[in-house]
Amino acid sequence: MEETAIPERVSTGISGLDEMLKGGYFKGTANVVSGKSGTGKTIFGSQFIYEGAKNGEKVMCIITSEESKSIVREMKASFDWDFKKLEDDGLLSFVDITDPGLRLQKSVEIAPSELIKSFKKLIESKLDEVQPQRVFIDSIEALFLAIESNYKLRTLIDDVFGVLRSREVTSVISVGKMFDLDAMVEYGADSVIKLERVRVGNNLQRTIFVMKLRGSSTINEVRVLNISDNGMSVLAQSPYLE
Ligand SMILES: Nc1ncnc2c1ncn2[C@@H]1O[C@H](COP(=O)(O)OP(=O)(O)OP(=O)(O)O)[C@@H](O)[C@H]1O
Ligand SMILES: [Mg+2]
């Protein structure tokens, strides 16, 4: 007889956030982190994969808009996290737009949906090759900006999320606020976390809340998000407003 196992949870590596999620992400799910520019999406995802790599897991970082080197530089400068060493140790691998598998496709004029298809294939082959336990995609909208039809967009998003889920990898996917792309991406995700910066008098405060987590209750509060030299953490307090 088959047992109905309790789904396994994966720690986000962000202090205070697992509590908001009642135990972390579900293993093998596609999780979106959404917010405007500068709200902390890249740090969030980086900390998620760093947590895995620190514990000896294989992790992967997929970067759609710039070369992987800038994230290595930023994480070293901000928090002294040595992504280069993790890469050298074989724990962290990068996929970015300079990958030869993609450049070939980009050199000829092809339809955006074809580019996404080839990107999807590239991700598939890298996942099969590396078999990571955690993946961070930063960011997804760069891939989908050129798609005009909403129907097509939904299908492509579902495709990419499907690839991740079928490999049983726990993933974090960042999305910015461009047009209504973030809403489209959020529909397809197993969880959505929103990052914001709010103005309190003359100060800016970072906030975080869980918009959804399929299959679980959550703490339904907006909480203060802190970024310091030790990385990102969630405080057990709500922002003070007026
Ligand atoms: N050590 C640190 N202490 C405090 N804040 C920091 C530190 N390092 C970086 N930050 C802040 O984190 C912010 C950048 O966060 P991040 O790059 O994750 O944002 P993002 O949401 O990915 O933005 P974008 O959409 O532009 O890529 C910066 O505004 C920076 O001030
Ligand atoms: Mg970023």
Side-chain angles (χ1 to χ4, degrees):
M1 206 175 78
E2 201 176 304
E3 284 180 53
T4 17
I6 298 165
E8 206 177 312
R9 299 268 193 158
V10 173
S11 173
T12 59
I14 295 166
S15 162
L17 181 58
D18 291 350
E19 185 205 343
M20 289 187 88
L21 298 167
K22 303 281 171 84
Y25 287 139
F26 288 109
K27 192 167 184 240
T29 55
N31 305 283
V32 161
V33 58
S34 158
K36 288 183 185 164
S37 186
T39 51
K41 304 179 297 295
T42 297
I43 295 169
F44 185 106
S46 298
Q47 191 160 336
F48 169 74
I49 54 172
Y50 188 60
E51 170 71 13
K54 272 193 304 188
N55 295 317
E57 293 176 17
K58 277 196 174 174
V59 301
M60 184 181 281
C61 186
I62 300 170
I63 300 173
T64 60
S65 58
E66 53 198 334
E67 288 189 45
S68 58
K69 301 294 163 272
S70 61
I71 206 169
V72 173
R73 188 175 5 92
E74 282 167 25
M75 293 309 126
K76 180 78 182 131
S78 284
F79 313 115
D80 205 26
W81 297 342
D82 199 342
F83 278 20
K84 180 75 180 66
K85 180 169 191 304
L86 293 175
E87 190 182 17
D88 293 343
D89 291 348
L91 289 170
L92 167 60
S93 49
F94 287 102
V95 178
D96 68 26
I97 44 161
T98 63
D99 195 284
L102 262 187
R103 201 154 34 179
L104 192 77
Q105 298 283 340
K106 275 186 107 179
S107 62
V108 275
E109 279 298 318
I110 52 161
S113 59
E114 290 303 312
L115 183 71
I116 293 172
K117 270 185 209 147
S118 74
F119 192 82
K120 199 187 99 180
K121 282 212 191 89
L122 177 69
I123 294 178
E124 270 178 321
S125 70
K126 294 279 180 187
L127 288 178
D128 290 342
E129 181 192 323
V130 177
Q131 304 201 334
Q133 283 156 278
R134 296 177 185 232
V135 167
F136 172 37
I137 303 184
D138 194 26
S139 70
I140 198 87
E141 81 260 30
L143 274 185
F144 296 120
L145 272 178
I147 308 295
E148 282 153 25
S149 123
N150 281 354
Y151 169 74
K152 215 180 206 175
L153 188 58
R154 263 315 290 271
T155 314
L156 287 167
I157 291 168
D158 285 346
D159 269 8
V160 172
F161 286 0
V163 167
L164 295 166
R165 289 192 191 102
S166 71
R167 296 322 192 262
E168 286 178 24
V169 61
T170 312
S171 46
V172 166
I173 301 109
S174 74
V175 63
K177 299 254 170 227
M178 286 205 129
F179 311 112
D180 279 332
L181 265 182
D182 52 325
M184 297 279 280
V185 173
E186 287 161 9
Y187 275 115
D190 295 304
S191 82
V192 177
I193 285 174
K194 296 264 200 185
L195 308 183
E196 288 176 355
R197 294 200 89 182
V198 293
R199 210 176 141 161
V200 182
N202 285 328
N203 292 306
L204 286 171
Q205 197 157 49
R206 297 185 186 280
T207 67
I208 184 168
F209 64 92
V210 182
M211 199 172 85
K212 75 165 173 184
L213 174 58
R214 288 178 181 157
S216 173
S217 67
T218 58
I219 290 183
N220 298 308
E221 282 174 23
V222 178
R223 291 201 165 171
V224 173
L225 181 68
N226 187 49
I227 303 177
S228 72
D229 292 352
N230 300 317
M232 185 175 262
S233 60
V234 179
L235 308 184
Q237 78 189 55
S238 295
Y240 175 78
L241 296 173
E242 261 77 45

